[in-house]
Amino acid sequence: MTDRDDVPFDLASMRKQYRAEGLSETELAASPVEQFARWFKQAATDGGLFEPNAMIVSTADAEGRTSSRTVLLKHFDEQGFVFYTNYDSRKARDLAENPYVSLLFPWHPMARQVIVTGVARRTGRDETAAYFRTRPHGSQLGAWASAQSSVVSTRADIDAAYAELAARYPEGEQVPVPSHWGGFRVAPQTVEFWQGRENRLHDRLRYVEQPDGRWRVERLSP
């Protein structure tokens, strides 16, 4: 049993009282992507967030074993939310077996969350290449140097692989796009907008995609 004096914080008493304005159905945009754009603009400009495009991507393999990690959102539009990764990574292997995915944007300083559920599909190679060219030179080399999610003996092995690539492709020389690297676009099926309120009576409004492509909005109990 853990000695209570050894615990640095009293977790049971750690809480914040959310005093933000509420979120009503009449304020929502016609589509979840338009509503996301509104909230994202606020998060990026005056939300006090370090990386507003950071999201938790949760996947599950064919046997239902889940895993989560933080990934950066790189594009969004009415077709979905796009991120990039190594196609040999755990998340990509999961998505190859089970394309259903959840994205969570934890905008804590604003007492907001956005939760997207949907289906992930690989982006086209032209789209992937166009994005890859916008990455810093070092990040392009990093996509080659790291066999993401695989076991590696030491950090020195990674540094050595990077150094070899840096010598082969010095700054200013074009780095080829790795065939094992690319994007996923998550086509949303539901998008929940969560606004913290007093007494834990939060506002939760969720867009649900209908068979005809339109969106239904439903309120969830906090």
Side-chain angles (χ1 to χ4, degrees), residues 14-162:
M14 293 180 69
R15 61 177 59 85
K16 296 290 185 180
Q17 183 70 280
Y18 301 139
R19 302 186 183 280
E21 294 295 323
L23 178 65
S24 70
E25 290 83 347
T26 58
E27 299 171 346
L28 291 180
S31 77
V33 172
E34 183 182 349
Q35 181 64 33
F36 180 83
R38 292 179 184 176
W39 271 24
F40 186 81
K41 182 178 180 180
Q42 293 173 359
T45 54
D46 52 25
L49 291 143
F50 173 61
E51 286 186 316
N53 60 327
M55 59 185 181
I56 299 168
V57 178
S58 297
T59 58
D61 64 16
E63 297 182 17
R65 293 171 298 197
T66 58
S67 62
S68 299
R69 73 290 292 162
T70 302
V71 178
L72 296 180
L73 176 72
K74 288 301 177 181
H75 179 73
F76 68 90
D77 55 27
E78 292 295 337
Q79 281 67 55
F81 300 80
V82 178
F83 66 90
Y84 292 86
T85 188
N86 187 311
Y87 284 146
D88 294 324
S89 65
R90 178 173 178 177
K91 72 178 83 62
R93 294 197 305 269
D94 282 356
L95 292 173
E97 299 176 349
N98 178 359
Y100 293 99
V101 62
S102 172
L103 312 177
L104 168 62
F105 295 85
W107 294 336
H108 301 308
M110 306 175 71
R112 286 179 174 177
Q113 301 179 73
V114 180
I115 305 163
V116 179
T117 65
V119 177
R121 296 285 185 266
R122 291 188 181 190
T123 58
R125 293 310 294 173
D126 288 346
E127 184 176 355
T128 290
Y131 169 69
F132 188 79
R133 297 286 170 235
T134 70
R135 302 185 94 202
H137 182 73
S139 296
Q140 293 182 17
L141 297 178
W144 281 102
S146 172
Q148 194 175 93
S149 299
S150 65
V151 176
V152 62
S153 297
T154 67
R155 171 72 195 200
D157 292 340
I158 300 173
D159 292 339
Y162 182 89

